Amino acid sequence: MADQKMRLELRIIKFQDYIRRKPESPFGYYGLGVQYMLSGKPALAERMFARALKLDSSYVPAKLGKLEYLLFDGKLLAACRYYRKNANDISARKVYLYRAQKIASQIYRTRRFSRQLRNSGSFYLFSERYGLLQKMFDNERDNPIVNLILAMFFLRKRR
């Protein structure tokens, strides 16, 4: 475990050095953001993804990083909307679409997702008849983020 933490810290240092050498490259900020996500620092990760996107607004890996941050932070509606806004870029290459689906499905195992389902506001988010995600599903059936989040909800509720 300590060895893994040390490797993570080393990768953070390497990406910080990369950014010092190439401050105009979105790759460095994206890479540093990924390392921050892995080290449990999502707010720092989100800042790095935003900086990468400021340098290159079409840099898809940073868009995926931001999507991961939104899902990790429990901002499910924002994540669904963000995917919809960037669907063409993400779905242009299968590898990016696969990553987006994998990122969304990973929240199923988190405690945060379980807590969100117990939250009283989850009725408005997930309800089969009036839920915001259900309305999104009805309007955009090709949004895999909405589809996966609703599927996870129904799996957890055993329906």
Side-chain angles (χ1 to χ4, degrees):
M1 187 71 163
D3 189 41
Q4 187 177 16
K5 186 176 180 181
M6 188 170 71
R7 283 189 297 222
L8 185 59
E9 290 297 323
L10 184 59
R11 288 193 307 265
I12 288 173
I13 291 168
K14 286 182 178 183
F15 275 109
Q16 289 170 337
D17 182 55
Y18 183 90
I19 290 170
R20 276 191 287 279
R21 290 184 287 114
K22 297 182 180 186
E24 298 303 313
S25 172
F27 172 75
Y29 296 101
Y30 161 73
L32 186 56
V34 168
Q35 302 314 309
Y36 282 146
M37 283 297 288
L38 291 171
S39 64
K41 300 172 185 170
L44 288 173
E46 195 273 332
R47 281 190 237 145
M48 293 300 109
F49 299 140
R51 287 176 90 178
L53 289 169
K54 188 175 182 182
L55 290 172
D56 182 356
S57 62
S58 63
Y59 191 61
V60 179
K63 289 180 180 185
L64 289 169
K66 183 171 180 175
L67 178 65
E68 181 176 10
Y69 165 76
L70 291 170
L71 290 165
F72 177 83
D73 204 37
K75 298 175 181 174
L76 303 180
L77 282 176
C80 293
R81 289 180 185 126
Y82 188 77
Y83 178 85
R84 177 181 27 172
K85 179 182 170 188
N86 297 286
N88 289 338
D89 293 338
I90 293 172
S91 63
R93 292 183 52 198
K94 283 188 178 184
V95 68
Y96 292 141
L97 183 58
Y98 173 75
R99 274 195 58 209
Q101 293 168 345
K102 186 176 177 184
I103 289 166
S105 64
Q106 287 174 342
I107 67 167
Y108 182 72
R109 293 182 296 242
T110 65
R111 289 185 183 145
R112 181 169 287 166
F113 186 71
S114 296
R115 273 187 260 134
Q116 194 161 19
L117 293 180
R118 287 191 295 264
N119 181 348
S120 62
S122 70
F123 174 79
Y124 297 106
L125 193 62
F126 293 106
S127 169
E128 290 177 54
R129 298 180 82 195
Y130 306 108
L132 297 173
L133 284 169
Q134 184 65 45
K135 286 181 184 178
M136 288 179 104
F137 174 76
D138 292 341
N139 293 327
E140 18 173 328
R141 294 190 183 255
D142 60 337
N143 185 329
I145 306 304
V146 172
N147 296 345
L148 284 168
I149 292 171
L150 279 174
M152 290 183 282
F153 166 73
F154 289 120
L155 281 170
R156 282 283 162 101
K157 294 294 184 178
R158 295 184 179 3
R159 289 192 279 170

